[in-house]
């Protein structure tokens, strides 16, 4: 057996193990939260201003069109969510179990995709495994891969976009790969297509880029038509005028809160506050005004370790001579995501953190690619392991507090305004 064949089999084996770990954790955490998360009424939007309850409402009641009405900005979300869950329901799997199976499946695909992307970037096996586990146990991974939301699927498309650029650095790619990436990034969240287009532009010539995106749009149109035939209330892709109220919204607390959530909360979950939802007046969890690492001693240490890894990654982003296209993709994507959310602020920056996570992990991965500096690699691995331990403890603790919210443990006197 050649070394290449042995390496491929080892990667497949590790990928399988990671898929099992991700699916078990996601299913177990979804079960831990309990059905209260999906309850309609007093629990709407409680999970950090997300649409979890609204999505489950459509799943549980096939006549409800709540999820389908969001396809103007999440174009193929009804197909992606409803079809597999309805098929499971058709073989008499209870709705709640079907939802958890799909959540577990998305988490498994997400983690395997991340591991594969890191290997394509040139990460050694140890670093790729550690970074993959960091992604799973990060605040974004733990809090958004365990609930029924669009961000897991959207994040998978962004990981694939990063992987496309990494792959294009070492070989000539067939156009079909670009078609898949363009389609995947467009299908779940409209704004993610920006990063799919950047990936295709970096991986192909301009003539190939036009052809690839044109074919992707044709397939997209066919799938949208099929979705509308299956789910009559699904709305076509349109300019999201309903979202204009979230542009430069004062509810986010200004640029500083957005930036620190973007940089720190994505990896390390800070103290969770419970406030009144500004629209419904009902209790809602938020971390928008929480300081990085606040609420737990491990969190403060984890933030420091994370910033150390980011510093190493930024140094490599500007000094590494190899991987020019990959570095461009990571740099453009991080700046693009930050710029987007400084304008489209919404109420909760953490809500979108699973879309930032692949690019943050890609940046940090650059810190481990320089094989010439032994001490730097030792420092990189030490920081990574320490962050995995401290951040994992912190995030699991904060997840337990979020779970307690649904079992009556949140404060009786809910804050009408979040505390800075």
């Amino acid at each position: 057996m050649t070394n290449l064949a042995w390496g491929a089999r080892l990667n497949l084996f590790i990928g399988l193990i990671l898929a099992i770990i991700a699916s078990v954790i996601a299913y177990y955490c979804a079960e831990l939260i309990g059905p209260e998360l999906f309850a309609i009424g007093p629990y709407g939007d409680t999970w950090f201003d997300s649409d979890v309850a609204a999505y489950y409402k459509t799943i549980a009641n096939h006549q409800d069109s709540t999820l389908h009405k969001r396809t103007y900005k999440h174009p193929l979300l009804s197909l992606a969510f409803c079809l597999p869950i309805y098929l499971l329901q058709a073989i008499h799997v209870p709705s709640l179990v079907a939802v958890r199976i799909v959540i577990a499946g998305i988490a498994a695909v997400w983690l395997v995709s991340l591991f594969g992307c890191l290997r394509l970037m040139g990460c050694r096996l140890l670093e790729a495994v550690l970074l993959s586990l960091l992604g799973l146990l990060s605040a974004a991974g733990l809090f958004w891969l365990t609930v029924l939301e669009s961000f897991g699927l959207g994040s998978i498309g962004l990981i694939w976009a990063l992987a496309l650029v990494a792959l294009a650095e070492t070989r000539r790619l067939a156009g079909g790969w670009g078609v898949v990436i363009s389609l995947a990034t467009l299908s779940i969240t409209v704004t993610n297509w920006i990063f799919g287009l950047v990936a295709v532009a970096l991986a192909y010539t301009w003539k190939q880029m036009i052809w690839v995106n044109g074919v992707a749009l044709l397939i997209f149109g066919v799938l949208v038509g099929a979705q509308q035939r299956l789910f009559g209330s699904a709305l076509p892709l349109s300019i999201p005028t309903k979202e204009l109220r979230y542009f430069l919204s004062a509810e986010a607390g200004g640029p500083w809160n957005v930036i620190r959530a973007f940089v720190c909360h994505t990896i390390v979950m800070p103290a969770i506050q419970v406030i009144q939802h500004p629209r419904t007046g009902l209790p809602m969890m938020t971390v928008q005004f929480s300081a990085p690492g606040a609420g737990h001693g491990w969190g403060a240490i984890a933030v420091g370790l994370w910033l150390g890894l980011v510093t190493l990654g930024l140094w490599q982003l500007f000094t590494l001579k190899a991987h020019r296209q990959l570095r461009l993709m990571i740099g453009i994507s991080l700046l693009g995501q930050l710029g987007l959310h400084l304008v489209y602020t919404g109420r909760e920056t953490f809500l979108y953190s699973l879309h930032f996570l692949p690019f943050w992990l890609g940046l940090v991965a650059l810190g481990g690619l320089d094989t010439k500096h032994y001490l730097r690699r030792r420092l990189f691995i030490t920081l990574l392991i320490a962050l995995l331990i401290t951040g994992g403890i912190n995030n699991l603790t904060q997840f337990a507090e979020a779970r307690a919210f649904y079992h009556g443990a949140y404060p009786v006197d809910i804050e009408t305004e979040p505390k800075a």
Side-chain angles (χ1 to χ4, degrees):
M1 185 184 296
T2 65
N3 289 334
L4 184 62
W6 168 250
R9 291 190 179 188
L10 181 60
N11 284 330
L12 285 173
F13 176 73
I14 297 297
L16 177 62
I17 296 299
L18 289 174
I20 293 170
I21 291 172
S23 59
V24 169
I25 289 177
Y27 190 97
Y28 179 67
C29 287
E31 194 172 39
L32 271 181
I33 299 169
E36 292 86 357
L37 175 61
F38 303 117
I40 309 302
Y43 296 100
D45 297 334
T46 53
W47 193 264
F48 307 98
D49 202 31
S50 67
D51 294 323
V52 175
Y55 289 169
Y56 181 71
K57 186 178 178 182
T58 303
I59 299 301
N61 177 11
H62 294 199
Q63 304 303 315
D64 187 90
S65 60
T66 306
L67 189 154
H68 307 316
K69 290 179 179 177
R70 284 165 168 76
T71 52
Y72 71 92
K73 60 178 178 177
H74 301 296
L76 294 176
L77 192 59
S78 292
L79 271 181
F81 271 164
C82 294
L83 203 56
I85 293 175
Y86 287 175
L87 289 173
L88 288 168
Q89 289 174 332
I91 58 173
H92 307 294
V93 176
S95 294
L96 207 54
V97 176
V99 165
R100 289 169 183 162
I101 290 172
V102 169
I103 288 171
I106 291 171
V109 173
W110 185 89
L111 193 60
V112 170
S113 298
L114 178 62
F115 173 72
C117 177
L118 292 167
R119 291 294 278 158
L120 288 173
M121 285 179 59
C123 290
R124 298 175 183 85
L125 186 60
L126 175 61
E127 284 94 321
V129 170
L130 290 174
L131 281 166
S132 297
L133 292 175
L134 176 62
L136 180 64
L137 294 177
S138 68
L142 196 59
F143 280 77
W144 294 116
L145 290 174
T146 56
V147 296
L148 187 70
E149 251 289 0
S150 64
F151 303 110
L153 288 171
S155 186
I156 289 170
L158 295 173
I159 292 171
W160 291 356
L162 191 58
L164 180 77
V165 177
L167 196 60
E169 287 192 326
T170 59
R171 67 199 74 183
R172 185 183 179 87
L173 297 179
W177 293 105
V179 171
V180 170
I181 299 313
S182 184
L183 183 62
T185 50
L186 171 61
S187 295
I188 304 301
T189 301
V190 173
T191 51
N192 283 357
W193 197 33
I194 299 169
F195 308 100
L197 292 175
V198 172
V200 169
L202 289 171
Y204 297 95
T205 65
W206 69 270
K207 289 183 179 179
Q208 291 174 315
M209 178 183 68
I210 294 171
W211 177 84
V212 161
N213 290 316
V215 173
L217 284 173
L218 285 174
I219 298 172
F220 175 77
V222 172
L223 291 174
V224 166
Q227 177 177 257
Q228 289 186 291
R229 290 292 298 272
L230 286 170
F231 312 104
S233 56
L235 298 176
L237 178 63
S238 60
I239 297 173
T241 54
K242 295 179 182 178
E243 306 301 307
L244 291 177
R245 65 182 183 274
Y246 296 122
F247 278 70
L248 300 174
S249 170
E251 293 176 76
W256 172 239
N257 283 336
V258 173
I259 291 169
R260 69 182 185 179
F262 178 79
V263 176
C264 298
H265 297 0
T266 301
I267 297 295
V268 183
M269 193 66 172
I272 299 170
Q273 300 181 46
V274 179
I275 65 169
Q276 279 186 343
H277 191 283
R279 179 169 51 84
T280 65
L282 299 168
M284 178 188 80
M285 290 185 289
T286 180
V287 293
Q288 186 66 18
F289 291 81
S290 299
H296 199 285
W298 291 110
I301 298 171
V303 167
L305 294 167
W306 168 243
L307 292 178
L309 284 168
V310 168
T311 302
L312 287 177
L314 285 172
W315 175 262
Q316 290 290 79
L317 183 70
F318 293 106
T319 61
L320 196 63
K321 294 181 180 179
H323 304 291
R324 178 179 176 274
Q325 290 166 299
L326 184 62
R327 289 184 290 118
L328 275 173
M329 178 65 188
I330 292 169
I332 291 170
S333 298
L334 280 173
L335 286 175
Q337 288 280 9
L338 178 58
L340 173 64
H341 290 282
L342 283 171
V343 176
Y344 181 81
T345 53
R347 296 189 186 99
E348 189 78 29
T349 307
F350 179 64
L351 180 65
Y352 310 98
S353 58
L354 206 55
H355 288 169
F356 317 148
L357 184 59
F359 304 119
W360 277 123
L361 293 175
L363 174 72
V364 168
L366 294 177
L369 294 185
D370 192 347
T371 58
K372 296 179 181 179
H373 294 85
Y374 174 75
L375 290 178
R376 188 184 297 169
R377 181 175 181 240
R378 290 293 295 271
L379 174 63
F380 175 78
I381 293 175
T382 301
L383 289 174
L384 192 52
I385 292 173
L387 176 58
L388 190 57
I389 294 170
T390 56
I393 293 172
N394 175 80
N395 295 339
L396 288 168
T397 302
Q398 298 297 74
F399 187 86
E401 291 188 13
R403 172 181 175 264
F405 172 90
Y406 295 99
H407 300 273
Y410 56 85
V412 175
D413 297 321
I414 299 166
E415 298 288 341
T416 56
E417 294 290 337
K419 295 178 181 178

